[in-house]
Amino acid sequence: MSRQEPANLPAGDPNPAPASPPKRQGRVTAADIAARKGGDPVVCLTAYDAPMAAILDHHCDLLLVGDSVGMVVHGLPSTVGVTVDMMIMHGKAVMRTARSALVVVDLPFGSYEASPQQAFETASRVLQETGAQAVKLESGVHAAAAVAFLVQRGVPVMGHVGLRPQAVHLSGFKAKGRTEEERSAIIAEAVATAEAGAFAVVVEGVAEELAREITDRIAPPTIGIGASPHCDGQILVTEDMLGLFEWTPKFVKRYADLRADIDRAVAAYADDVRARRFPGAAQLYRFDAAKQAG
Ligand code: KIV
């Protein structure tokens, strides 16, 4: 998605300062997000820990404690190995510093698919132990009963259709919806998720035309990731957009090059230690003669 220059900047400013985020009263709710359909784009990012959540919070409407934490932080090959305990640990960390964004925690693989009751047991545990306000699950026709069961019992649910990473062993990490068969299956997933009462639906890795069609057809806002600008909001994995990895999917726009920055910083530290330049005078504690005398 390309960024638009704010209208009041001098024409041709090559490096416009980003607009500061609007001030908010209180925390964004699932109902606030639902009401953004067709309105101002919903700004979302993933967060897995307290310091990052503190930085992202006031820029974002929604922070997702995604099960992508398994790959991004724990080095797993997919999200399939992520557990409820891992999600709760990261959810608690994010909730310690996120003050204004809606915090949504992913239900990991194997924690909700068996029955609506299983989904409720996991979701209620996640909300009670983390203090987050909503859960997300990879949804579709197969999970519509679970979404409805949760919503009827007071759990705000965000759906997730299109490329579903938890189904990697069946369908891989490839973009979806490029054949007629896949297109109609994904529309059915999105419609079932919306009708079951989801307050928003993540649409991942689908063709532009399909993203537009889903956004037009369902009532809740669509949150795109690799799903074109024709969505009501966007989400990225924060570490991807900050340039922490050598490889990122085609749909990621890099807003920083943290991998190179960290590499340079660590090389400088290592040089300093080896040359005994660190610690220097500014980093020393000294014997305090005045305190000693008193
Ligand atoms: O787990 C995750 O981070 C996600 C998003 C990237 C949508 O599901």
Side-chain angles (χ1 to χ4, degrees):
M1 200 172 79
S2 68
R3 290 198 147 172
Q4 285 186 334
E5 287 193 21
N8 57 355
L9 281 168
D13 184 339
N15 208 0
S20 35
K23 291 257 178 303
R24 269 196 215 109
Q25 297 281 320
R27 192 186 287 280
V28 176
T29 65
D32 294 334
I33 300 291
R36 297 273 287 275
K37 181 75 186 179
D40 286 345
V42 185
V43 180
C44 316
L45 281 172
T46 59
Y48 315 122
D49 58 54
M52 187 63 89
I55 299 170
L56 306 179
D57 184 45
H58 69 293
H59 295 284
C60 293
D61 300 305
L62 184 154
L63 292 179
L64 172 67
V65 185
D67 60 354
S68 51
V69 68
M71 299 171 78
V72 174
V73 174
H74 296 267
L76 294 173
S78 77
T79 57
V80 173
V82 175
T83 64
V84 176
D85 287 342
M86 284 162 79
M87 295 312 302
I88 288 177
M89 182 183 71
H90 289 284
K92 280 180 174 170
V94 168
M95 281 302 296
R96 287 190 191 109
T97 57
R99 300 272 172 266
S100 66
L102 174 72
V103 177
V104 180
V105 179
D106 253 339
L107 301 191
F109 179 70
S111 74
Y112 63 93
E113 302 90 330
S115 65
Q117 285 76 8
Q118 185 205 22
F120 184 73
E121 275 160 29
T122 309
S124 54
R125 190 177 155 215
V126 165
L127 294 194
Q128 284 177 335
E129 293 188 30
T130 64
Q133 297 82 40
V135 297
K136 175 167 85 59
L137 52 85
E138 293 188 10
S139 55
V141 180
H142 65 285
V147 174
F149 196 84
L150 295 185
V151 174
Q152 284 154 14
R153 283 157 184 76
V155 180
V157 179
M158 192 174 185
H160 184 152
V161 303
L163 193 168
R164 290 193 274 112
Q166 291 176 9
V168 60
H169 294 316
L170 203 59
S171 45
F173 282 121
K174 288 194 308 282
K176 298 279 178 294
R178 296 200 267 193
T179 64
E180 184 45 42
E181 199 189 351
E182 272 185 10
R183 189 188 140 272
S184 33
I186 293 170
I187 290 180
E189 284 179 357
V191 169
T193 305
E195 287 177 351
F199 71 88
V201 180
V202 169
V203 180
E204 177 163 359
V206 304
E208 177 177 10
E209 302 73 15
L210 179 55
R212 188 199 290 266
E213 193 171 347
I214 294 172
T215 300
D216 288 348
R217 275 186 66 165
I218 67 173
T222 52
I223 308 297
I225 172 160
S228 87
H230 305 295
C231 292
D232 300 294
Q234 297 291 331
I235 186 162
L236 284 174
V237 168
T238 301
E239 286 73 1
D240 280 346
M241 59 82 93
L242 293 179
L244 212 59
F245 297 111
E246 239 160 349
W247 181 88
T248 44
K250 168 187 161 120
F251 59 76
V252 173
K253 177 173 173 183
R254 290 191 186 203
Y255 289 84
D257 193 4
L258 284 198
R259 190 184 166 89
D261 290 348
I262 292 172
D263 197 56
R264 263 193 302 275
V266 176
Y269 166 76
D271 280 355
D272 277 359
V273 171
R274 290 190 184 107
R276 299 192 183 281
R277 279 190 301 266
F278 174 82
Q283 288 91 36
L284 295 186
Y285 296 108
R286 293 194 188 276
F287 182 71
D288 190 333
K291 269 199 187 139
Q292 187 65 17

